[in-house]
């Protein structure tokens, strides 16, 4: 097959491809737009893979698991390819879209090869040219979406399947045990392997690849079985096995999230967008009506007219020949080369794809783009049907007009007349580059980074328009070394206060707000009118609206250095000369006082601190301590149990110790050794928000990190809250602290300043900020023994909490802290459940199984403990282990329908259909 590629045709293909690349690059050079929701999300995902590929660990199974989990709902091949592109050419939206040029080359070669296989090299070349001129394709080539790469890989797969099918059709069924000659056998195996790998790659681009390839694959499979040949059957089976080897690692790692996200991506989206129901004619003609928009009238009508004229001429000649006298030779134009059953095979692909795409309730014009190369191939065949003296002129005139319309659709070069002509010949295909004023997204991110250069910031994005939304601000934050993230909050009325108290940064917009829920206006009002926030900066947008950035007056975490503190230290909390990150000059509360005079009015608050000592330059004989110090603890003098208690910690030390630090804090009753007379407040230093050393800015900032000659002491101040148990005994509680390095595992006790907190059930609670995320996770995990009734709340709250920590680092903090504590107290059930929830939410299967095995030992009389263990085994595709775990649960309480549901799934995984049916009947009877 490859031998049929003519050298001069390959040169023409190269020129066609280069022309497309040149137009794309010119368009991107003119474009100053920002990506919208989907495009920004995919671009951010490509940067996640770019970051992962900086230091790959090819032989580490844990690295591969983390790698596949970087994209949990969307297949990652496009993003991985874009990451590799950005490794070569640098990061950025325009550079990421270079990957489309790579996929364009795959598409052109594939459609040319398919044209040779089904028709002729001439048809293949025309089809390649048409693919560059179809609006449905070139518009997507200028976007960073999955549909254009999917089109290329689907076409590649269909080409490989077509060649393999064609070659094997030469093997007669009566010779099923005969081994073909060596050359044929090698070629057939090559195309079978190519088909298998390309099918796997197609499914790694997007799951909807099956909509286009399912019917041809099933058709080929049925043909293979009906005309059995041992070699052909082996090749087909191995091809499918190869595809599974390619796509299964990602699907197996993320299958649960794929299933749960599928409903939102299809049914929910279709209902929200008002797509036609499947029982209506509109649902089945939706894509048919879009053909002129996808193809353009120029490329649609001319080939069809040529085909119809050719067929009518052919019928006329046949009629003349039938009615002519013997020996009469009717004149006949040279027939375009058409192999047997070519149009039938192409129709199987196109009709099958059309019907399956129409069956999908969620409809969009780009969802059917992968069958457009097949349409282009049919139209190319129609173009070659123009024969005779004017045939070549008609073909070139058609292509010339299509090129002109393409230029008019992509660039504003034709004036009003050109625009109208283009809209008539190619409706809804205008795709101009945006050449207006630049959007301020980069400046927003830069303002946040300059204000808090040592903190990983999370920006609450309240508008959600095409130009300003959580996804594109998150993308620009990722371009800034992943130091700023953007998340949409304020979507639920009951969570507005929690959202407002949990983030330090918010951005609002005047004018059009976009696709936002009803609660968004209340969230905007909360931020703009709250005394806790200052308006940091305002930018004008091209639509004459304004973008406003708000910052919390007293951030949750502040960072300062010894050098800055010594320049302007006038008291415990610092002054104008030491604002830290985001401090305000006029702030005279806890932090902004002189000689601590501001504490006079706070009778309920006690502050304890350790005096700072100045470090001298290091010498060969003298090394400064590298251990961190808890310099100050500020708590109320008295507090009730069961209510959040505000607390401020100030830590000092080198950046190498502060950034990876986990602090294990235990508040203990000084008069009791009972485990019930204590509570813990473990979490990462700086609430886990401190930027890693390799991410620290290298310009424009005075770095607080340690250099190797003169260590600089850094100060990290945390403002948070802790939750003492409601059944805590009254008394005086003191603090113990231990340091844990998350990178090295190093631990040591931390020196704590004298601090005492009285717990009194009759005391009035002091207003407190939000609990830190680690504490919230532990409180949620403590409800897991309640079973099903607790799970809805747990996962609803987890969804909210995850918005506050975009990388879910709080789960790592919980895991490390609980693992350390369980080594000291292996019988602590609450800590075991906290570790379990952290492992499950991180999708760490083996860690979750180990944690749940501990839970089942400590909570042996709770059937839900075994149910959780069984669920994780099922997630890991281990039905036998899940069934074993469920036996004691069913013995404890067989009336819980969820136990039987899990047992039925476990039986189904093992092929025990009878047991699965029995469990299903039990579930139905229990639910009714």
């Amino acid at each position: 097959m490859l031998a049929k590629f003519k050298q001069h045709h390959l040169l023409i293909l190269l020129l066609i491809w280069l022309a497309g690349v040149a137009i794309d690059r010119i368009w991107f050079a003119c474009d100053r737009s920002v990506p919208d929701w989907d495009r920004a999300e995919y671009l951010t995902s490509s940067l996640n893979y770019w970051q992962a590929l900086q230091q790959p660990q090819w032989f580490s199974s844990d690295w591969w698991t983390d790698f596949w989990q970087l994209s949990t709902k969307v297949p990652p091949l496009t993003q991985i390819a874009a990451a590799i592109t950005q490794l070569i050419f640098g990061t950025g939206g325009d550079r990421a879209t270079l990957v489309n040029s790579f996929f364009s080359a795959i598409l052109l070669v594939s459609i040319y090869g398919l044209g040779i296989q089904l028709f002729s090299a001439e048809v293949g070349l025309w089809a390649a040219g048409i693919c560059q001129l179809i609006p449905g394709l070139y518009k997507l080539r200028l976007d960073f979406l999955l549909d254009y790469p999917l089109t290329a890989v689907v076409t590649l797969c269909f080409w490989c399947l077509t060649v393999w099918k064609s070659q094997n059709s030469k093997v007669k069924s009566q010779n099923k045990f005969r081994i073909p000659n060596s050359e044929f056998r090698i070629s057939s195996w090559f195309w079978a392997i190519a088909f298998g790998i390309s099918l796997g790659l197609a499914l790694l681009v997007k799951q909807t690849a099956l909509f286009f390839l399912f019917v041809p694959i099933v058709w080929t499979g049925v043909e293979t079985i009906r005309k059995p040949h041992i070699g052909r059957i082996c090749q087909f089976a191995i091809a499918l096995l190869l595809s599974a080897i390619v796509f299964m690692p990602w699907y197996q790692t993320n299958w649960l999230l794929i299933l749960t996200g599928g409903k939102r991506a299809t049914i929910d989206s279709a209902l929200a967008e008002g797509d036609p129901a499947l029982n209506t004619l509109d649902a089945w003609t939706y894509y048919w009506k879009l053909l002129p928009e996808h193809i353009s009238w120029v490329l649609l009508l001319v080939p069809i007219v040529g085909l119809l004229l050719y067929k009518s001429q052919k019928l006329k000649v046949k009629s003349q020949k039938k009615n002519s006298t013997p020996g009469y030779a009717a004149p006949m134009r040279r027939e375009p080369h058409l192999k047997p059953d070519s149009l039938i095979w192409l129709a199987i692909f196109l009709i099958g794809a059309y019907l399956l795409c129409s069956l999908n309730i969620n409809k969009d014009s780009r969802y059917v783009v992968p069958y457009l190369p097949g349409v282009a191939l049919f139209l190319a065949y129609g173009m070659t049907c123009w024969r005779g003296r004017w045939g070549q002129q008609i073909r070139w005139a058609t292509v010339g007009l299509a090129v002109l319309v393409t230029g008019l659709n992509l660039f504003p070069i034709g004036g009003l007349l050109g625009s109208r002509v283009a809209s008539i010949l190619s409706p809804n295909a205008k795709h101009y580059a945006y050449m207006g004023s630049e959007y301020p997204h980069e400046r927003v991110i830069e303002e946040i980074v300059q204000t808090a250069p040592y903190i990983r910031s999370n920006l609450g994005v309240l508008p959600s328009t095409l130009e300003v939304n959580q996804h594109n601000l998150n993308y620009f934050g990722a371009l800034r070394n992943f130091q700023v993230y953007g998340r949409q909050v304020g979507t639920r009325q009951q969570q507005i206060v929690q959202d407002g108290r949990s983030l330090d940064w918010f951005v609002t917009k005047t004018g059009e707000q976009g696709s936002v829920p009803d609660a968004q206006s209340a969230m905007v009002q909360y931020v703009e009118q709250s005394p806790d926030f200052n308006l940091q900066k305002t930018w004008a947008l091209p639509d004459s609206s304004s973008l406003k950035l708000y910052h919390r007056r007293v951030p949750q975490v502040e960072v300062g250095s010894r050098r800055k503190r010594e320049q302007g230290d006038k008291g415990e909390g610092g002054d104008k000369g030491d604002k830290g990150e985001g401090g305000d000059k006029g702030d005279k509360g806890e932090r902004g006082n002189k000689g601590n005079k501001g504490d006079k009015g706070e009778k309920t608050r006690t502050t304890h601190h350790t005096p700072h000592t100045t470090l001298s330059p290091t010498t060969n004989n003298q090394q400064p301590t590298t251990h961190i110090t808890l310099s100050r603890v500020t708590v109320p003098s008295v507090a009730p149990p069961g209510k959040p208690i505000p607390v401020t910690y100030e830590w000092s030390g080198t950046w190498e110790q502060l950034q990876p630090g986990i602090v294990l804090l235990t508040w203990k009753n000084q008069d009791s050794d009972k485990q019930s007379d204590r509570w813990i407040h473990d979490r990462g230093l700086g609430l886990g928000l401190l930027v890693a050393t390799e991410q620290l800015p290298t310009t424009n900032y005075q770095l607080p990190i340690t250099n190797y000659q003169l260590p600089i002491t850094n100060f990290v101040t945390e403002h948070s809250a802790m939750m003492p148990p409601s059944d805590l005994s009254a008394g005086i509680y003191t603090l113990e602290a231990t340091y844990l390095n998350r990178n090295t595992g190093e631990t040591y006790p931390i020196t704590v300043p004298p601090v005492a907190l009285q717990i009194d059930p009759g005391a009035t609670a002091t207003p407190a900020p939000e609990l830190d995320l680690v504490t919230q996770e532990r409180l949620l995990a403590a409800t897991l023994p309640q079973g099903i009734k607790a799970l809805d709340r747990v996962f609803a709250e987890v969804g909210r909490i995850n918005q506050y920590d975009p990388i879910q680092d709080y789960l790592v903090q919980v895991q490390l802290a609980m693992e350390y504590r369980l080594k000291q107290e292996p019988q602590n059930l609450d800590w075991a459940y906290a570790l379990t929830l952290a492992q499950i939410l991180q999708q760490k299967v083996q860690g979750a199984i180990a944690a749940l095995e501990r839970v089942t030992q400590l909570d042996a009389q709770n059937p839900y403990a075994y149910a959780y263990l069984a669920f994780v085994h099922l997630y890991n595709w281990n039905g036998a282990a899940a069934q074993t775990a469920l036996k004691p649960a069913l013995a404890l309480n067989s009336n819980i329908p969820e136990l039987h549901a899990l047992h039925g799934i476990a039986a189904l995984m093992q092929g025990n259909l009878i047991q699965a049916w029995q469990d299903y009947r039990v579930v139905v009877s229990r639910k009714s």
Side-chain angles (χ1 to χ4, degrees):
M1 171 64 202
L2 295 178
K4 298 179 181 179
F5 279 48
K6 298 180 180 180
Q7 190 171 8
H8 68 284
H9 281 183
L10 291 178
L11 179 59
I12 295 174
L13 275 181
L14 177 63
L15 294 176
I16 293 173
W17 176 74
L18 288 175
V21 171
I23 292 173
D24 295 350
R25 292 303 103 193
I26 293 172
W27 191 93
F28 280 115
C30 298
D31 186 50
R32 306 174 75 181
S33 65
V34 292
D36 63 11
W37 301 276
D38 289 349
R39 292 156 183 81
E41 186 174 7
Y42 297 144
L43 284 168
T44 303
S45 181
S46 75
L47 287 179
N48 290 331
Y49 282 103
W50 169 84
Q51 186 181 52
L53 291 171
Q54 299 288 325
Q55 295 179 329
Q57 301 173 32
W58 304 116
F59 302 105
S60 169
S61 59
D62 290 339
W63 183 85
W64 278 107
T65 299
D66 293 339
F67 186 77
W68 295 128
Q69 288 178 350
L70 289 174
S71 179
T72 55
K73 297 177 182 178
V74 178
L77 182 62
T78 302
Q79 298 90 307
I80 294 172
I84 296 172
T85 301
Q86 291 175 93
L87 283 172
I88 299 171
F89 298 102
T91 58
D94 290 358
R95 295 181 180 94
T97 56
L98 282 170
V99 75
N100 283 345
S101 298
F102 167 72
F103 284 111
S104 180
I106 293 176
L107 173 61
L108 296 180
V109 172
S110 300
I111 199 64
Y112 172 70
L114 195 58
I116 292 177
Q117 186 62 42
L118 295 180
F119 302 101
S120 65
E122 181 187 17
V123 172
L125 275 181
W126 282 111
I130 291 174
C131 282
Q132 294 287 71
L133 299 174
I134 289 179
L137 288 178
Y138 64 66
K139 286 169 62 178
L140 283 178
R141 205 173 65 229
L142 298 171
D143 273 328
F144 192 82
L145 292 167
L146 306 184
D147 304 277
Y148 190 80
L150 179 65
T151 301
V153 183
V154 163
T155 306
L156 173 65
C157 184
F158 183 58
W159 173 39
C160 296
L161 177 64
T162 300
V163 177
W164 180 82
K165 176 180 177 294
S166 175
Q167 289 190 349
N168 280 277
S169 65
K170 302 173 184 178
V171 181
K172 305 299 182 181
S173 60
Q174 60 266 29
N175 296 330
K176 58 185 176 182
F177 295 111
R178 180 181 174 185
I179 300 177
N181 63 65
S182 175
E183 181 180 352
F184 175 82
R185 186 169 65 246
I186 294 174
S187 176
S188 182
W189 274 108
F190 171 82
W191 289 106
I193 292 171
F195 158 61
I197 293 175
S198 59
L199 175 59
L201 293 176
L203 290 171
L204 271 182
V205 174
K206 202 173 183 181
Q207 298 95 326
T208 54
L210 277 180
F211 289 170
F212 307 93
L213 297 171
F214 179 76
V215 172
I217 290 173
V218 171
W219 189 283
T220 304
V222 171
E223 277 191 349
T224 303
I225 295 172
R226 285 183 58 196
K227 301 176 181 179
H229 181 278
I230 187 169
R232 185 166 52 198
I233 293 174
C234 287
Q235 289 175 4
F236 190 71
I238 290 175
L240 296 180
L241 178 63
L242 276 176
S243 71
I245 292 173
V246 172
F247 70 75
M248 274 304 292
W250 181 80
Y251 282 89
Q252 187 174 13
T253 302
N254 302 289
W255 68 271
L256 184 60
L257 291 174
I258 296 170
L259 291 178
T260 56
K263 175 179 177 295
R264 180 187 63 82
T266 53
I267 299 175
D268 293 349
S269 295
L271 293 175
E273 296 168 5
D275 291 333
L278 292 180
N279 59 354
T280 63
L281 182 62
D282 286 343
W284 300 95
T285 59
Y286 181 90
Y287 293 119
W288 178 261
K289 296 175 182 177
L290 290 177
L291 267 180
E293 179 179 324
H294 280 147
I295 305 296
S296 81
W297 286 115
V298 178
L299 293 174
L300 191 61
L301 292 180
V302 175
I304 291 177
V305 170
L307 181 61
L308 292 176
L309 290 175
Y310 166 73
K311 291 298 181 183
S312 65
Q313 178 66 19
K314 188 174 181 180
L315 290 174
K316 181 179 179 181
V317 170
K318 283 185 177 180
S319 176
Q320 290 176 350
K321 185 175 181 180
K322 183 177 180 180
N323 298 324
S324 64
T325 58
Y328 171 78
M332 180 62 189
R333 299 174 183 173
R334 184 169 62 89
E335 182 176 352
H337 189 64
L338 180 63
K339 297 180 181 179
D341 301 329
S342 292
L343 286 177
I344 295 176
W345 176 242
L346 186 58
I348 290 170
F349 170 74
L350 293 175
I351 295 174
Y354 184 91
L355 293 177
L356 289 179
C357 288
S358 299
L359 190 62
N360 181 11
I361 189 173
N362 186 24
K363 292 180 169 57
D364 190 278
S365 62
R366 59 188 172 90
Y367 291 167
V368 292
V369 165
Y371 72 46
L372 292 185
V375 176
L377 190 60
F378 172 76
L379 296 175
Y381 172 68
M383 290 275 282
T384 60
C385 288
W386 285 97
R387 296 286 167 174
R389 180 170 42 177
W390 297 102
Q392 187 172 0
Q393 287 85 342
I394 291 174
R395 286 193 292 274
W396 283 107
T398 303
V399 170
L401 184 57
V403 170
L404 176 62
V405 170
T406 298
L408 294 174
N409 281 331
L410 293 181
F411 303 100
I413 55 178
L416 182 61
L417 177 61
S419 178
R420 288 181 177 178
V421 170
S423 63
I424 294 172
L425 298 178
S426 182
N428 300 321
K430 184 182 295 183
H431 194 64
Y432 290 168
Y434 171 74
M435 303 181 190
S437 302
E438 285 190 1
Y439 285 89
H441 293 59
E442 289 186 18
R443 285 172 279 164
V444 172
I445 300 302
E446 191 62 28
E447 180 68 24
I448 295 173
V449 172
Q450 287 193 17
T451 304
Y454 317 119
I455 299 296
R456 185 179 69 250
S457 301
N458 190 15
L459 174 64
V461 183
L462 302 189
S464 186
T465 66
L466 192 71
E467 298 83 10
V468 181
N469 56 72
Q470 66 276 20
H471 293 296
N472 57 29
L473 282 165
N474 182 68
Y475 169 63
F476 282 97
L479 284 173
R480 196 61 171 79
N481 213 10
F482 295 92
Q483 198 168 337
V484 180
Y485 292 82
R487 289 296 182 267
Q488 185 180 32
V489 293
T491 58
R492 297 185 180 181
Q493 191 73 37
Q494 65 272 24
Q495 295 178 356
I496 286 178
V497 175
Q498 290 171 302
D499 291 345
R501 286 157 52 94
S502 298
L503 300 180
D504 288 345
W505 294 94
F506 286 93
V507 65
T508 66
K509 179 183 177 294
T510 61
E512 175 62 31
Q513 299 298 303
S515 56
V516 294
D518 295 336
Q520 187 260 2
S521 58
M523 186 76 236
V524 172
Q525 185 178 12
Y526 177 93
V527 172
E528 293 185 342
Q529 297 182 4
S530 172
D532 295 333
F533 290 95
N534 286 331
L535 178 60
Q536 181 85 8
K537 202 162 187 179
T538 302
W539 293 270
L541 295 175
D543 64 355
S544 300
S545 63
S546 297
L547 194 67
K548 299 180 179 180
L549 179 66
Y550 287 85
H551 187 213
R552 186 176 299 280
R553 292 179 65 247
V554 181
Q556 299 175 66
V557 179
E558 301 170 272
V559 177
S561 68
R562 165 76 65 192
R563 186 171 299 150
K564 293 172 69 176
R565 181 172 291 274
E566 288 177 344
Q567 288 172 354
D569 190 13
K570 296 185 180 180
E572 291 175 21
D575 67 346
K576 296 180 183 179
D578 184 19
K579 293 190 294 180
E581 292 188 1
D584 299 297
K585 294 181 180 180
D587 185 11
K588 297 183 180 180
E590 271 184 57
R591 299 170 46 254
N593 58 74
K594 291 187 178 182
N596 205 30
K597 292 179 181 179
D599 286 337
K600 288 183 178 180
E602 293 195 26
K603 296 181 180 179
T604 63
R605 185 175 295 273
T606 59
T607 301
H608 307 271
H609 67 96
T610 301
H612 303 310
T613 58
T614 304
L615 297 178
S616 301
T618 59
T619 64
N620 293 334
N621 300 321
Q622 180 184 2
Q623 293 293 333
T625 178
T626 58
H627 288 185
I628 67 166
T629 302
L630 179 54
S631 307
R632 181 174 64 169
V633 182
T634 304
V635 292
S637 57
V638 61
K643 299 291 183 181
I645 300 175
V647 58
T648 297
Y649 302 103
E650 184 179 284
W651 309 91
S652 59
T654 63
W655 198 256
E656 285 77 3
Q657 287 283 303
L658 290 168
Q659 193 278 328
I662 304 288
V663 285
L664 309 169
L665 306 180
T666 306
W667 290 84
K668 302 176 65 174
N669 191 321
Q670 65 180 13
D671 298 323
S672 172
D673 292 330
K674 294 181 180 179
Q675 291 186 0
S676 58
D677 288 339
R678 67 175 182 185
W679 75 88
I680 64 175
H681 197 203
D682 305 343
R683 70 213 180 284
L685 270 165
L687 304 181
L689 300 177
L690 305 183
V691 175
T693 304
E694 61 271 15
Q695 290 183 286
L696 283 169
T698 56
T699 59
N700 302 328
Y701 307 106
Q702 180 183 2
L703 301 185
I705 62 173
T706 301
N707 73 37
Y708 294 102
Q709 285 73 41
L710 177 60
I712 302 174
T713 300
N714 306 287
F715 298 91
V716 176
T717 303
E718 306 166 345
H719 306 281
S720 64
M722 52 188 174
M723 177 67 81
S726 57
D727 58 352
L728 197 66
S729 300
I732 303 298
Y733 286 77
T734 58
L735 177 63
E736 292 181 359
T738 300
Y739 174 86
L740 169 64
N741 190 304
R742 68 167 79 195
N743 295 334
T744 65
E746 174 193 13
T747 62
Y748 54 80
I750 301 174
T751 302
V752 177
V755 58
L757 170 60
Q758 181 182 354
I759 296 296
D760 181 0
T764 301
T766 303
E770 282 294 295
L771 296 170
D772 60 274
L773 304 187
V774 173
T775 299
Q776 293 188 51
E777 192 273 356
R778 287 192 294 103
L779 294 175
L780 290 172
T783 66
L784 288 179
Q786 301 173 19
I788 299 301
K789 64 180 182 181
L791 287 182
D792 287 342
R793 179 179 177 273
V794 167
F795 286 105
E797 288 295 290
V798 165
R800 175 183 63 83
I801 293 172
N802 284 347
Q803 291 291 84
Y804 308 150
D805 184 354
I807 64 172
Q808 280 82 66
D809 183 69
Y810 76 97
L811 296 173
V812 179
Q813 300 169 40
V814 174
Q815 175 193 332
L816 295 174
M818 294 303 99
E819 286 176 344
Y820 178 85
R821 286 196 178 271
L822 283 168
K823 290 178 182 178
Q824 318 303 318
E825 297 180 24
Q827 302 301 312
N828 194 302
L829 182 60
D830 287 344
W831 296 349
Y833 269 113
L835 176 59
T836 294
L837 183 58
Q839 297 280 27
I840 289 174
L841 293 177
Q842 293 179 87
Q843 302 178 59
K844 293 187 174 181
V845 174
Q846 298 307 319
I849 291 173
L852 281 165
E853 287 175 346
R854 183 197 297 267
V855 167
T856 56
Q857 295 173 9
L858 301 177
D859 201 13
Q861 298 305 308
N862 188 341
Y864 291 111
Y866 301 98
Y868 297 144
L869 178 58
F871 175 82
V872 176
H873 280 305
L874 290 176
Y875 178 84
N876 199 36
W877 297 90
N878 193 339
Q883 201 165 35
T884 301
L886 286 168
K887 288 180 180 178
L890 291 168
L892 288 168
N893 190 344
S894 62
N895 294 320
I896 301 175
E898 288 78 13
L899 296 181
H900 290 279
L902 293 172
H903 194 267
I905 296 173
L908 189 63
M909 278 189 176
Q910 299 173 83
N912 190 343
L913 300 181
I914 296 175
Q915 181 63 56
W917 174 252
Q918 291 174 348
D919 284 310
Y920 170 75
R921 294 182 62 184
V922 172
V923 172
V924 173
S925 64
R926 294 282 194 275
K927 292 288 187 180
S928 60

